[in-house]
Amino acid sequence: MDSIGSLGLQQGEGAPSCPQEGLPCPSNSSEMVQECLQQFKVTGAQLRQIQTSLLGSMEQALRGQVGPAPAVRMLPTYVGSTPHGTEKGDFVVLELGATGASLRVLWVTLTGIEGHKVEPRSQEFVIPQEVMLGPGQQLFDFAARCLSEFLDVLPVDNQGLQLGFSFSFPCHQTGLDKSTLISWTKGFKCSDVEGQDVVQLLRDAIQRQGAYSIDVVAVVNDTVGTMMGCEPGVGPCEVGLVVDTGTNACYMEEARHVAVLDEDRGRVCISIEWGSFSDEGALGPVQTIFDHTLDHESLNPGAQRFEKMIGGLYLGELVRLVLVHLAQRGVLFGGHTSPVLRSQGSILLEHVAEMEDPSAGAARVHAVLQDLGLNPKASDAEWVQCVCMAVCTRAAQLCAAALAAVLSRLQHSREQQALQIAVATGGRVFERHPRFLSVLRETVMLLAPNCDVSFIPSVDGGGRGVAMVTAVAARLAAHRRLLEETLAPFRLTREQLAEVQAQMREAMAKGLQGEASSLRMLPTYVRATPDGSERGDFLALDLGGTNFRVLLVRVTTGGVQISSQIYSIPECVAQGSGQQLFDHIVDCIVDFQQKQGLSGQSLPLGFTFSFPCRQMGLDQGILLNWTKGFNASDCEGQDVVCLLREAIRRRQAVELNVVAIVNDTVGTMMSCGYEDPHCEVGLIVGTGTNVCYMEELRNVASVDGDSGQMCINTEWGAFGDDGSLSMLSTRFDASVDQASINPGKQRFEKMISGMYLGEIVRHILLHLTSLGVLFRGQQTQRLQTRDIFKTKFLSEIESDSLALRQVRAILEDLGLPLTSDDALMVLEVCQAVSQRAAQLCGAGVAAVVEKIRENRGLEELTISVGVDGTLYKLHPHFSSLVAATVRELAPRCVVTFLQSEDGSGKGAALVTAVACRLAQRTRI
């Protein structure tokens, strides 16, 4: 016997026993009674088949692969967030359909204070049968009158009351306050409502009533209300389960799995509508002749078959049909029935609960049966208890199989082998049948052994949850407004970007003419790009960040071969004395030469020095100012090639032929130029940012000559230092600038480059936390820590391949305790900051390529841009945003972006190689 079957009815060697252990059935029972009860026994295999089939139907519906009559509907409820305990305010709740033929109105006060509750006020109104089956307008007018009657006795003013509408019927929601009724259930059959927006019908009725100004904020079914009203425990409650008149469940699904939403982030509450589950292969074997009779005689034959085996509206009717069947065959009540027993609906859920309860004793069973016009014997009462238990046990087991399907879905979608989750339960079947929950719990443990499930009873039948949905919607709307206001300055228009482009063109022209400009436009004395004839062995040094590289570059007919080693530069060296820094660099070169077997050789050397320099020649570079966290003393204003040569002399017995000092941007251009002769622009977007390009020599005032070209290092990181970017600067840019080692300098770089974007994001997160938008308003020490939010996290968080769960994991690793809503907002902040950076970068590139096009008098320019830098290469969207901005702002330029391979190393060697080639040609 399957272990799950032990929860149902089993036939032993002697007299059969009821499902409730310890309660024997009458020993003189006939075979007919045993066969009758045996129909309600469900085996473990059958329950697993239902679990598997329902899970398959759920996943098919999520993918949008449904036929004309889907087994389950999987309807998005547009509830995207569970409560986090800070919600507060007064809310009106109207419940329709949650408790059968009645309507309930509640006044719910949420305090936003943990442990401090205000009991809701409520009133229940019985819905007349003629209203349940009459015109739809009549029903909604009745609801509006009940609302007014309830509010009339409360001390409330008539100013903008917020209402949550609990409408517990299958609906197709297209928004939090838009819901179209699919079909009536639970005994309702009002005309002209199916296919209509029930929120609009209620709003129209409230307007016709005219007594109060009420804003219907959200429409919620009772299942969602049950989940949302659950008190947050260790974690949020993310499953709701209702077994009342009908039955349903909801849960928080990953939005990317819901085809109809076309969303790839966040979660959304899905109403399964599992009452309509109707797989013949799974349900057929567990359906009895009584289920078929009940279905045939119902208001909706053939529909809601699963619900008719579980819901409270039907349990009493199933018991009644069994009792009539047994009585008509002479087994019960001396073969007699009564007009009441033969009347449909005469045995209610309350009767079943009373008769099933063993603590009530036979006297209570006798009393109920006598009220039905019957004259039971003692053995009749015992058998009736067995019937009630059989029907309810099967209902609990079927419900458990369906819940196990939901838990399996959560395990799969969240990729969690062991799931710990809270399930909020609601409905009169739970409230009045304590045994129902115990059978449910035990069956779930057997069907979903890797799930640790806590069952938490709902508060006031889900009314508080409907208010909570309304409150959460209000909170999210307020938070959304604050987030939009905060991020608005980062969302640049085309006009703003075109203005940046125009200002950069103006600054470039002034810089080239030697006029005051934030762009230095420095000549690099690189007069040509590679032509492919370069040959030889070259050393290259690459200093531009916290790591320093030494390279051996061999340029042969077969291409370029590189050997290199990385050496770190400690912060104490980067910010110590200049002598200490350059001695460290020479020590690294000597170490590399020894390892490569180059000791004693004097190879041509190219020095990539990625800091603002004014070059006086190819091997002369005056450091203008340090950037990127460097601040070594006695270097600014000095020729860095001389500083390197002096360090070489101090080391003695080392000979190095420094041919060229190269900016990393120039190296990037030259590296890509070796592969593509159209590459005449170099772009760096990494720790810092810069651009260089081939300018006509006639436009360069500081260098003699009118023919030919020269590569110009723009040092565009300083663009805007004259205040021209102030209209784009935000309070967060100002905070990052003030905390930097060079306040007021490199303003463009601080809005674009990798060294600063993470800090901008951190300052925004601090601001949003102070507003209560993030992290429940709780400041964490971790977020107060400077540079904790590395720019690499932006690249990881914005990756399209990451699920929200992984985004949360990245942030939790930073010590940020957050919800899914927080994770989505952090993602949006990252996107706004990186998008602005990419668009500003694109506006700058557009200015450069347009200048080249105009220099050459071309209608259309075809050009390539060599690019290097970790931000550009690793960020999932940066490169495409740059390219899109350039296309928009420079439509007459066809621009190809080439990612450089080792631009600063290989490029420096190629600058040196080109210089050697040109020098050799001059000598000849």
Side-chain angles (χ1 to χ4, degrees):
M1 176 64 66
D2 193 300
S3 60
I4 296 177
S6 66
L7 294 169
L9 295 168
Q10 298 181 51
Q11 189 172 353
E13 292 180 358
S17 63
C18 285
Q20 178 70 7
E21 192 177 332
L23 183 65
C25 289
S27 58
N28 62 344
S29 59
S30 67
E31 288 294 321
M32 188 181 296
V33 179
Q34 295 176 37
E35 286 174 14
C36 185
L37 291 182
Q38 190 73 9
Q39 291 184 59
F40 288 92
K41 191 190 82 167
V42 188
T43 67
Q46 289 170 330
L47 290 172
R48 289 194 180 92
Q49 175 61 31
I50 291 169
Q51 177 187 2
T52 303
S53 177
L54 181 60
L55 177 59
S57 295
M58 289 169 60
E59 292 180 338
Q60 189 178 28
L62 284 172
R63 292 191 296 268
Q65 301 169 337
V66 291
V72 292
R73 292 193 174 94
M74 304 301 284
L75 304 174
T77 66
Y78 295 86
V79 171
S81 176
T82 50
H84 64 32
T86 62
E87 293 78 12
K88 58 186 175 181
D90 294 316
F91 303 92
V92 184
V93 173
L94 173 64
E95 288 183 347
L96 180 59
T99 52
S102 65
L103 174 152
R104 195 163 72 124
V105 186
L106 300 94
W107 179 269
V108 181
T109 299
L110 302 175
T111 65
I113 304 168
E114 190 176 346
H116 182 227
K117 270 194 200 171
V118 177
E119 282 302 311
R121 299 169 111 176
S122 67
Q123 186 174 348
E124 197 157 332
F125 300 85
V126 176
I127 305 173
Q129 184 78 4
E130 64 269 19
V131 173
M132 292 175 65
L133 302 174
Q137 184 171 321
Q138 184 181 1
L139 174 66
F140 284 94
D141 283 343
F142 176 80
R145 284 198 304 276
C146 293
L147 264 174
S148 293
E149 187 179 321
F150 173 76
L151 293 171
D152 285 344
V153 299
L154 292 178
V156 299
D157 58 27
N158 193 17
Q159 297 303 310
L161 299 170
Q162 292 185 307
L163 181 140
F165 184 20
S166 174
F167 188 74
S168 303
F169 302 92
C171 287
H172 174 59
Q173 269 190 267
T174 52
L176 194 59
D177 63 345
K178 293 182 180 65
S179 190
T180 303
L181 176 64
I182 295 170
S183 58
W184 285 115
T185 57
K186 308 175 188 176
F188 283 75
K189 203 70 179 173
C190 295
S191 60
D192 303 321
V193 180
E194 290 179 351
Q196 300 296 312
D197 179 0
V198 294
V199 175
Q200 194 56 50
L201 293 175
L202 178 61
R203 283 173 174 154
D204 292 344
I206 291 170
Q207 196 166 5
R208 282 193 297 271
Q209 186 71 19
Y212 289 91
S213 171
I214 298 173
D215 178 19
V216 185
V217 174
V219 59
V220 186
N221 70 29
D222 55 338
T223 322
V224 179
T226 295
M227 181 188 79
M228 294 291 280
C230 180
E231 284 293 316
V234 177
C237 182
E238 296 188 295
V239 180
L241 170 60
V242 168
V243 188
D244 198 284
T245 318
T247 180
N248 192 21
C250 67
Y251 72 102
M252 297 301 290
E253 175 63 82
E254 303 297 313
R256 70 183 187 280
H257 294 147
V258 186
V260 296
L261 291 182
D262 197 26
E263 289 280 338
D264 60 356
R265 302 284 185 179
R267 289 178 180 165
V268 65
C269 180
I270 295 291
S271 177
I272 301 169
E273 300 296 336
W274 70 21
S276 62
F277 177 58
S278 57
D279 177 22
E280 183 60 36
L283 290 187
V286 298
Q287 285 197 305
T288 68
I289 57 170
F290 310 107
D291 295 303
H292 291 297
T293 302
L294 182 150
D295 179 49
H296 180 70
E297 295 176 353
S298 68
L299 282 170
N300 53 352
Q304 301 297 110
R305 290 173 62 195
F306 193 58
E307 180 169 87
K308 289 169 183 171
M309 301 167 79
I310 297 174
L313 184 65
Y314 307 101
L315 296 183
E317 186 63 9
L318 282 171
V319 169
R320 186 189 72 81
L321 290 170
V322 174
L323 298 187
V324 169
H325 173 81
L326 293 174
Q328 287 175 341
R329 279 153 185 75
V331 178
L332 290 180
F333 317 130
H336 300 293
T337 61
S338 68
V340 180
L341 182 63
R342 289 194 302 274
S343 300
Q344 188 178 9
S346 59
I347 297 182
L348 304 175
L349 174 64
E350 291 76 8
H351 299 140
V352 177
E354 289 178 23
M355 292 190 292
E356 185 187 348
D357 185 0
S359 66
R364 186 64 200 133
V365 182
H366 272 274
V368 172
L369 294 174
Q370 284 170 346
D371 288 343
L372 294 170
L374 300 166
N375 188 19
K377 297 182 292 188
S379 60
D380 291 337
E382 292 173 348
W383 264 120
V384 169
Q385 277 195 309
C386 286
V387 170
C388 291
M389 289 180 181
V391 170
C392 293
T393 296
R394 185 191 68 163
Q397 291 178 328
L398 294 177
C399 188
L403 179 59
V406 175
L407 298 174
S408 298
R409 173 66 203 157
L410 284 167
Q411 277 183 288
H412 173 71
S413 67
R414 299 184 184 182
E415 300 173 28
Q416 293 178 348
Q417 292 223 319
L419 184 71
Q420 186 173 22
I421 198 148
V423 175
T425 59
R428 288 175 301 167
V429 172
F430 282 112
E431 293 164 9
R432 297 176 187 182
H433 285 64
R435 231 184 111 264
F436 189 94
L437 179 59
S438 64
V439 174
L440 175 80
R441 181 186 285 116
E442 191 173 344
T443 310
V444 167
M445 286 173 63
L446 291 163
L447 292 173
N450 293 326
C451 297
D452 179 8
V453 185
S454 305
F455 291 92
I456 303 172
S458 71
V459 181
D460 63 61
R464 182 175 182 274
V466 179
M468 191 61 79
V469 172
T470 312
V472 167
R475 167 173 63 81
L476 291 178
H479 286 181
R480 167 56 50 188
R481 283 193 300 273
L482 290 169
L483 180 67
E484 288 299 327
E485 288 171 11
T486 302
L487 297 182
F490 290 88
R491 307 196 195 282
L492 304 181
T493 64
R494 188 193 186 285
E495 290 70 27
Q496 287 174 304
L497 292 169
E499 178 63 20
V500 171
Q501 178 187 15
Q503 288 183 339
M504 182 164 283
R505 282 292 304 275
E506 184 181 346
M508 290 170 70
K510 286 182 176 178
L512 286 170
Q513 291 304 309
E515 299 173 18
S517 171
S518 60
L519 290 182
R520 293 193 177 100
M521 305 301 286
L522 306 172
T524 64
Y525 294 85
V526 171
R527 299 171 185 267
T529 52
D531 65 4
S533 67
E534 295 79 12
R535 300 288 182 271
D537 290 352
F538 306 92
L539 278 179
L541 314 182
D542 176 15
L543 176 64
T546 51
N547 290 326
F548 166 66
R549 290 189 310 151
V550 186
L551 305 93
L552 172 63
V553 181
R554 291 196 157 102
V555 184
T556 66
T557 52
V560 179
Q561 298 170 330
I562 300 174
S563 304
S564 67
Q565 185 165 341
I566 297 174
Y567 298 89
S568 66
I569 296 185
E571 187 176 348
C572 59
V573 173
Q575 299 191 7
S577 69
Q579 183 170 323
Q580 185 182 5
L581 173 62
F582 282 93
D583 284 348
H584 178 74
I585 290 169
V586 172
D587 288 342
C588 295
I589 296 170
V590 170
D591 178 75
F592 179 78
Q593 283 185 309
Q594 289 171 347
K595 288 176 178 174
Q596 294 291 327
L598 300 173
S599 297
Q601 295 186 41
S602 179
L603 297 179
L605 182 147
F607 183 14
T608 296
F609 188 75
S610 307
F611 301 92
C613 284
R614 181 173 299 283
Q615 282 193 250
M616 312 307 291
L618 193 60
D619 64 346
Q620 292 174 279
I622 308 299
L623 174 63
L624 298 175
N625 57 276
W626 286 116
T627 57
K628 308 178 206 176
F630 277 71
N631 203 17
S633 61
D634 303 322
C635 294
E636 292 181 354
Q638 301 297 312
D639 181 352
V640 292
V641 175
C642 286
L643 295 176
L644 178 62
R645 285 171 174 156
E646 287 170 6
I648 292 168
R649 280 196 294 274
R650 281 195 296 275
R651 189 69 207 278
Q652 294 180 2
V654 178
E655 289 189 30
L656 293 170
N657 176 22
V658 184
V659 172
I661 180 169
V662 183
N663 177 278
D664 57 346
T665 323
V666 178
T668 295
M669 181 188 76
M670 296 292 276
S671 172
C672 292
Y674 188 77
E675 314 293 337
D676 179 357
H678 287 114
C679 184
E680 296 183 274
V681 181
L683 170 65
I684 297 284
V685 194
T687 310
T689 183
N690 193 17
V691 83
C692 70
Y693 72 103
M694 296 304 290
E695 176 61 82
E696 302 305 310
L697 193 57
R698 67 178 182 271
N699 294 332
V700 185
S702 59
V703 179
D704 293 336
D706 288 330
S707 63
Q709 297 175 334
M710 178 170 288
C711 180
I712 295 296
N713 169 18
T714 66
E715 290 297 339
W716 81 0
F719 177 53
D721 285 3
D722 57 0
S724 56
L725 285 180
S726 57
M727 76 289 190
L728 298 183
S729 183
T730 68
R731 58 188 291 184
F732 311 108
D733 296 303
S735 297
V736 170
D737 179 53
Q738 285 303 309
S740 69
I741 61 172
N742 55 350
K745 296 181 179 179
Q746 301 295 110
R747 301 302 294 271
F748 195 56
E749 180 168 89
K750 287 171 183 172
M751 300 168 89
I752 292 178
S753 73
M755 187 169 185
Y756 304 100
L757 296 191
E759 269 298 276
I760 295 173
V761 168
R762 186 180 71 85
H763 280 279
I764 296 173
L765 300 187
L766 282 171
H767 173 69
L768 291 173
T769 306
S770 72
L771 294 176
V773 173
L774 281 179
F775 314 132
R776 304 183 189 183
Q778 298 170 0
Q779 296 281 2
T780 63
Q781 189 57 45
R782 198 92 166 116
L783 198 56
Q784 305 279 353
T785 308
R786 186 176 163 187
D787 292 328
I788 190 66
F789 206 93
K790 303 294 184 188
T791 298
K792 71 169 185 175
F793 293 138
L794 273 74
S795 300
E796 292 174 3
I797 287 168
E798 292 185 58
S799 170
D800 292 330
S801 63
L802 280 197
L804 191 64
R805 174 182 55 80
Q806 294 162 300
V807 173
R808 286 185 66 174
I810 291 168
L811 297 168
E812 282 165 355
D813 285 346
L814 290 176
L816 302 176
L818 77 170
T819 64
S820 294
D821 294 327
D822 291 333
L824 278 172
M825 288 199 196
V826 171
L827 168 65
E828 205 165 328
V829 170
C830 293
Q831 287 172 332
V833 170
S834 59
Q835 177 173 301
R836 183 189 68 163
Q839 288 178 323
L840 288 174
C841 183
V845 172
V848 170
V849 295
E850 270 294 298
K851 179 156 195 345
I852 295 173
R853 185 186 67 79
E854 290 182 15
N855 280 348
R856 299 176 187 179
L858 299 173
E859 276 298 310
E860 185 177 275
L861 172 71
T862 299
I863 194 166
S864 296
V865 178
V867 194
D868 205 350
T870 51
L871 180 59
Y872 184 93
K873 287 184 173 180
L874 300 183
H875 191 281
H877 307 298
F878 198 95
S879 59
S880 59
L881 285 167
V882 171
T885 306
V886 173
R887 279 195 302 274
E888 188 171 8
L889 297 179
R892 293 160 75 182
C893 298
V894 180
V895 182
T896 302
F897 289 87
L898 307 171
Q899 287 199 22
S900 164
E901 291 181 21
D902 199 8
S904 46
K906 174 181 167 185
L910 286 167
V911 169
T912 307
V914 169
C916 291
R917 168 172 64 81
L918 294 177
Q920 189 175 15
R921 185 177 300 165
T922 302
R923 283 196 298 273
I924 292 170

